[in-house]
Amino acid sequence: MTQLQQPIKFAYWVPNVSGGLVVSNIEQRTDWSYDYNVRLAQAAENNGFEYALTQIRFTAGYGAENQHESVSFSHALLAKTEKLKVIAAILPGPWKPALAAKQLATIDYLTQGRIAINVVSGWFRGEFDAIGEEWPEHDERYVRSEEFIRTLKGIWTTDNYSFNGKYYQFQNYTLKPKPLQKPYIEVFQGGSSRAARDMASRVSDWYFTNGNTVEEIQKQVEDIRAKAKANNHQVKIGVNAFIIARDTEEEAKAVLQEIIDKANTEAVNAFGTYSIRYGQFSYDERIENMTIVDSENEQQMLEMYTHSSLIALCLPEQAIEVEAKIIAKGLYARFNSSLETCIEPLTFLIILNKVGAKYLVMKHLREALLELTNDEDVTEHILKEHYFCDTVVNRMVSKLSNQNLYRQLRIKHNFLEQHLEDVEYEEQIEIEDCNKLTQDQQNQASLYVDNMRRNFQPGHILQSMDLILFHSETDMPIYVEKGSPLLEKLRQVVLVNQITDIQLIKNRLWNGVHAMLAWYASLLGYDSIGVAMGDHSVKVFAENLIREVKQGLAIVLPNYAKDLDRMAQSFLDSCEYAFKDPCQRVARDPLRKLTHNERVIASIEVNINYDLPYKNLLKGAALGYAYAIQFLEIEETDAIKHLHEQVKKLDMSSAQKAQLEVELTQLVQYLFSEQGKQPLNMNITNSKNAPTQYA
């Protein structure tokens, strides 16, 4: 029987922690006591549930003051049931593989093979810090978890087991008795990141995904199964779902709304430190002392506008009109407030990744204020009272060089030595200009790390010594148009008189090339920009694109001609290290990016008008349409129609438009011909006087 033919299995979350399963002040109907959980487990078993999943938390608080340990609690429930299988959540770090393997093998023996394990890679750093456990970076936590699973399975199936990993080591270890379940105890795992899914495709028996649309869940399932097949592995899929059961749909929806209305934001804010993940991809950024403001809570939003000095507006273009109504309410509340903070003007940083973003925001905001106040004078007064500043922000970050990392490590180790011993530190090895570490530096760095780990304790001086592994580009700062005096106090802000020039450079040199690079990389099967740049053809394509765009910009913006080389090289360097820059993110919304006045077509227009090369830009535009057709399932006729409409709007002669239209249409069609299935094989020659040739 295939996986698709097998009946659905049902499991439930065990409430072995207080506070219920939602972070809300709504009255909870669950109980963390043992007696209640026994009754719940027996009821679940009698009603056809096959699994139960216990939770693991080590720190009291954040919506769960009392918390039973998962493994022992799972064993206790198994003792009171006959068929139910209980999945115990385990954290690598607090648990070591040898202990976990022994614990679980014993429970498996005592319960006739009814224990399972859910490996939780870790989601709350404060918990690990509190108990003195190492907190690796996001993807590294999955490296550790994968080793944890591999060693468990090895211990359960092999005598004289040996393993030499980054986090765990074994030498001729034999466990007896081994679990009753064969070949081993089932291993579950969750996580929505790329790292989590990849780990599941290699080592896990079950993968938990969070609730989503049927279509999106199907995509995840297909992705994991395809990767698992490539790894000669099989993985089953579980879906998390929370059910509100009431007599009528209306009653159930009312309960849902009550849960939302009574959301316990204080419990969430108690974390203090957050890891922000970008979409479903695995990139974490730690932010301290952050507070969540619920955008659905009007009172919280109004307080934000009355108590703040600076607000960054970072929204998709299509959300501006709706958000303008909320901003208008906030500014009107500030206008009417007697608070001292409201006397000073508010500074808005408009971060929309769009040329003329400020004018779009101001248009919608003016309309929203007029609707709210019904007074043109008050509307204009409010708008003139505050600073609305257009910006240009580079999103890309690069990896710190080995030399800079070594320098940082040496300084912090010096700090530690001075703390441990009040002695003058010995003279260290001089840092060379080259990026590669010398053997002496590598040896010294190892000594530093060993000493730091050996002396690390919770609350110790080392706890605050975070190593910086990534940094923003120093030559791609935040450009902001002059106006607000507050901006002069901000680091890495460069004030400019004419922000539209910088917006134009970013739109075409950075965003345009970035998008074309992502379309090309996606069509070649790459997941990230950094990995794609390891392909020589992709790297050359990026360099050629940059060269063509620069030539056009140097004519349009002559005052920035000298800066373009520096900005272009910095961008290319960032791309080479952009291993966590997913092509899917960069490539999205191709038809919008291919409008006549946007990042790609506009560059082609400039180069044609000034008789400059544009063959790579042409290829880039065609790849955008190909991406839309192949990945977004846009009809080819609709893509070609969009192409023709954009060309008609260009400021060029009729003959130039006609030639461009033919060239671009032929190239798009070529990509989907039998000869052009592989974009890598395209050889394009364009000329002012001759039709494009395709080989």
Side-chain angles (χ1 to χ4, degrees):
M1 185 181 292
T2 67
Q3 289 187 33
L4 294 175
Q5 295 170 325
Q6 293 177 1
I8 296 175
K9 301 176 185 288
F10 287 93
Y12 75 95
W13 284 92
V14 175
N16 58 306
V17 301
S18 62
L21 296 172
V22 293
V23 186
S24 174
N25 293 322
I26 189 174
E27 183 180 356
Q28 304 289 336
R29 307 204 307 174
T30 60
D31 185 356
W32 61 284
S33 70
Y34 179 56
D35 289 342
Y36 172 82
N37 271 281
V38 168
R39 294 198 304 273
L40 193 65
Q42 291 172 345
E45 183 177 67
N46 293 333
N47 283 278
F49 281 75
E50 296 186 42
Y51 293 89
L53 174 61
T54 57
Q55 307 167 65
I56 183 57
R57 298 183 183 179
F58 278 93
T59 306
Y62 53 92
E65 194 66 27
N66 296 291
Q67 306 152 359
H68 290 301
E69 187 274 315
S70 56
V71 176
S72 47
F73 203 80
S74 297
H75 189 194
L77 293 181
L78 288 165
K80 296 292 185 176
T81 53
E82 297 177 357
K83 298 178 293 182
L84 190 69
K85 201 167 192 177
V86 183
I87 311 164
I90 290 184
L91 273 168
W95 269 279
K96 308 305 177 192
L99 172 63
K102 192 73 175 175
Q103 272 183 304
L104 294 162
T106 298
I107 296 173
D108 199 59
Y109 180 84
L110 295 173
T111 61
Q112 292 76 53
R114 290 193 292 126
I115 190 71
I117 178 178
N118 180 38
V119 177
V120 183
S121 296
W123 56 279
F124 180 33
R125 178 170 182 164
E127 187 171 62
F128 276 64
D129 289 346
I131 61 176
E133 284 290 339
E134 181 184 6
W135 181 255
E137 176 271 330
H138 176 270
D139 284 13
E140 275 296 306
R141 296 200 294 277
Y142 283 95
V143 172
R144 178 170 66 180
S145 292
E146 183 166 337
E147 286 191 8
F148 190 88
I149 294 170
R150 289 187 183 278
T151 54
L152 283 181
K153 291 183 175 182
I155 294 167
W156 287 334
T157 59
T158 309
D159 289 341
N160 300 313
Y161 177 70
S162 296
F163 181 84
N164 187 25
K166 182 176 181 179
Y167 292 95
Y168 306 112
Q169 297 80 39
F170 288 86
Q171 188 67 40
N172 297 323
Y173 175 60
T174 298
L175 174 99
K176 294 286 181 73
K178 291 187 169 35
L180 292 181
Q181 297 182 68
K182 302 302 179 190
Y184 41 70
I185 293 166
E186 282 187 297
V187 176
F188 291 69
Q189 151 240 322
S192 57
S193 69
R194 178 75 270 164
R197 299 201 305 275
D198 286 351
M199 185 181 89
S201 73
R202 291 190 292 268
V203 296
S204 299
D205 304 312
W206 285 85
Y207 169 74
F208 284 132
T209 183
N210 289 319
N212 209 321
T213 63
V214 173
E215 293 76 18
E216 288 302 315
I217 289 176
Q218 185 176 0
K219 289 179 184 177
Q220 282 199 344
V221 171
E222 290 171 351
D223 173 63
I224 291 170
R225 284 181 174 164
K227 283 185 165 60
K229 186 178 180 180
N231 296 325
N232 294 316
H233 183 65
Q234 284 191 337
V235 58
K236 302 172 186 175
I237 308 295
V239 180
N240 291 324
F242 288 86
I243 298 171
I244 301 174
R246 295 295 186 272
D247 292 335
T248 66
E249 185 175 351
E250 289 74 19
E251 288 177 310
K253 286 182 176 179
V255 173
L256 174 61
Q257 191 57 53
E258 186 181 3
I259 292 171
I260 296 170
D261 292 341
K262 295 181 178 180
N264 188 347
T265 54
E266 290 77 15
V268 180
N269 287 329
F271 283 92
T273 299
Y274 292 79
S275 286
I276 307 298
R277 184 165 307 142
Y278 298 88
Q280 60 183 326
F281 302 96
S282 53
Y283 179 83
D284 287 0
E285 179 70 22
R286 187 180 179 190
I287 301 178
E288 304 283 355
N289 302 318
M290 182 175 171
T291 300
I292 290 176
V293 175
D294 184 0
S295 62
E296 300 295 326
N297 187 319
E298 186 168 307
Q299 185 57 40
Q300 288 186 10
M301 292 295 289
L302 296 182
E303 288 177 2
M304 181 183 78
Y305 282 100
T306 53
H307 288 82
S308 301
S309 301
L310 183 145
I311 291 176
L313 187 62
C314 187
L315 293 168
E317 187 177 330
Q318 59 269 27
I320 294 299
E321 185 173 359
V322 175
E323 189 65 24
K325 299 181 185 297
I326 301 170
I327 299 172
K329 286 184 179 180
L331 291 180
Y332 193 51
R334 191 180 181 97
F335 173 74
N336 291 315
S337 175
S338 58
L339 292 174
E340 190 174 336
T341 54
C342 296
I343 299 172
E344 297 296 322
L346 186 59
T347 298
F348 281 90
L349 292 180
I350 301 172
I351 309 172
L352 260 65
N353 198 26
K354 178 181 175 65
V355 177
K358 174 182 174 179
Y359 302 103
L360 178 67
V361 171
M362 297 296 288
K363 172 181 175 293
H364 289 303
L365 188 52
R366 180 174 281 103
E367 292 171 357
L369 278 169
L370 273 172
E371 185 180 339
L372 181 67
T373 65
N374 199 28
D375 190 320
E376 289 190 11
D377 291 335
V378 171
T379 294
E380 291 305 317
H381 176 82
I382 291 174
L383 292 175
K384 290 178 181 178
E385 190 175 23
H386 306 290
Y387 298 104
F388 296 89
C389 307
D390 244 333
T391 66
V392 171
V393 181
N394 178 44
R395 297 181 183 179
M396 299 181 68
V397 296
S398 64
K399 205 168 54 171
L400 220 64
S401 71
N402 289 341
Q403 282 293 336
N404 286 333
L405 184 58
Y406 175 76
R407 188 189 303 272
Q408 190 185 170
L409 189 61
R410 191 183 71 174
I411 291 169
K412 293 186 176 184
H413 188 263
N414 188 8
F415 185 28
L416 171 66
E417 288 289 282
Q418 289 176 357
H419 175 75
L420 296 176
E421 307 177 35
D422 190 18
V423 297
E424 191 170 343
Y425 200 71
E426 298 176 6
E427 185 177 350
Q428 296 298 318
I429 304 160
E430 290 298 319
I431 297 176
E432 302 169 4
D433 292 333
C434 64
N435 190 49
K436 187 177 179 181
L437 297 180
T438 66
Q439 189 60 51
D440 286 341
Q441 288 174 335
Q442 291 178 358
N443 295 339
Q444 194 67 43
S446 297
L447 293 174
Y448 292 165
V449 172
D450 289 343
N451 197 12
M452 285 180 165
R453 286 176 174 167
R454 193 168 55 250
N455 287 282
F456 185 88
Q457 298 292 333
H460 193 272
I461 190 171
L462 279 177
Q463 198 170 6
S464 61
M465 290 188 185
D466 291 337
L467 286 177
I468 300 169
L469 301 176
F470 295 86
H471 67 88
S472 59
E473 297 295 333
T474 55
D475 55 356
M476 290 189 189
I478 303 173
Y479 292 92
V480 187
E481 63 180 350
K482 289 181 178 178
S484 171
L486 184 62
L487 298 174
E488 297 175 2
K489 303 175 183 178
L490 300 182
R491 291 179 60 194
Q492 216 165 334
V493 165
V494 176
L495 299 176
V496 296
N497 292 317
Q498 187 61 266
I499 195 69
T500 53
D501 292 347
I502 307 297
Q503 287 176 326
L504 193 64
I505 292 173
K506 185 187 180 189
N507 185 259
R508 298 186 188 178
L509 190 68
W510 302 341
N511 295 348
V513 175
H514 209 192
M516 289 183 280
L517 193 57
W519 297 332
Y520 191 28
S522 297
L523 289 164
L524 293 175
Y526 293 109
D527 291 329
S528 81
I529 298 295
V531 173
M533 287 291 284
D535 185 325
H536 178 72
S537 64
V538 177
K539 186 176 181 180
V540 170
F541 180 50
E543 292 169 347
N544 290 337
L545 282 173
I546 284 285
R547 183 169 59 253
E548 289 181 0
V549 175
K550 272 198 313 182
Q551 288 175 313
L553 284 173
I555 293 176
V556 176
L557 301 172
N559 292 336
Y560 287 93
K562 293 182 180 179
D563 298 315
L564 289 172
D565 286 337
R566 175 179 55 82
M567 292 177 170
Q569 189 57 53
S570 182
F571 172 79
L572 287 172
D573 291 343
S574 294
C575 286
E576 290 204 52
Y577 289 111
F579 298 109
K580 296 185 178 181
D581 192 12
C583 294
Q584 185 180 1
R585 180 190 71 79
V586 183
R588 64 191 174 192
D589 206 5
L591 295 190
R592 179 179 64 82
K593 295 171 182 177
L594 287 165
T595 52
H596 73 285
N597 58 349
E598 263 287 347
R599 54 201 79 188
V600 176
I601 304 295
S603 290
I604 293 175
E605 178 186 48
V606 169
N607 284 31
I608 289 176
N609 284 334
Y610 289 100
D611 202 25
L612 298 170
Y614 65 94
K615 95 174 169 181
N616 290 282
L617 282 165
L618 192 72
K619 173 180 173 178
L623 290 167
Y625 285 110
Y627 180 91
I629 295 167
Q630 183 166 325
F631 287 92
L632 306 183
E633 298 182 352
I634 292 171
E635 293 293 331
E636 186 174 341
T637 52
D638 293 336
I640 298 298
K641 181 182 177 183
H642 178 277
L643 183 162
H644 292 170
E645 288 173 349
Q646 302 313 311
V647 173
K648 286 177 184 176
K649 296 176 183 178
L650 297 177
D651 185 16
M652 301 189 303
S653 70
S654 299
Q656 288 172 324
K657 289 181 184 179
Q659 180 174 339
L660 176 60
E661 193 171 311
V662 169
E663 289 179 340
L664 196 47
T665 302
Q666 287 182 345
L667 187 49
V668 173
Q669 292 171 340
Y670 171 78
L671 290 176
F672 290 93
S673 68
E674 286 302 315
Q675 298 93 336
K677 292 289 185 181
Q678 297 294 325
L680 192 63
N681 296 331
M682 288 192 302
N683 181 15
I684 312 161
T685 306
N686 67 284
S687 163
K688 290 285 188 180
N689 304 312
T692 302
Q693 303 295 316
Y694 306 94

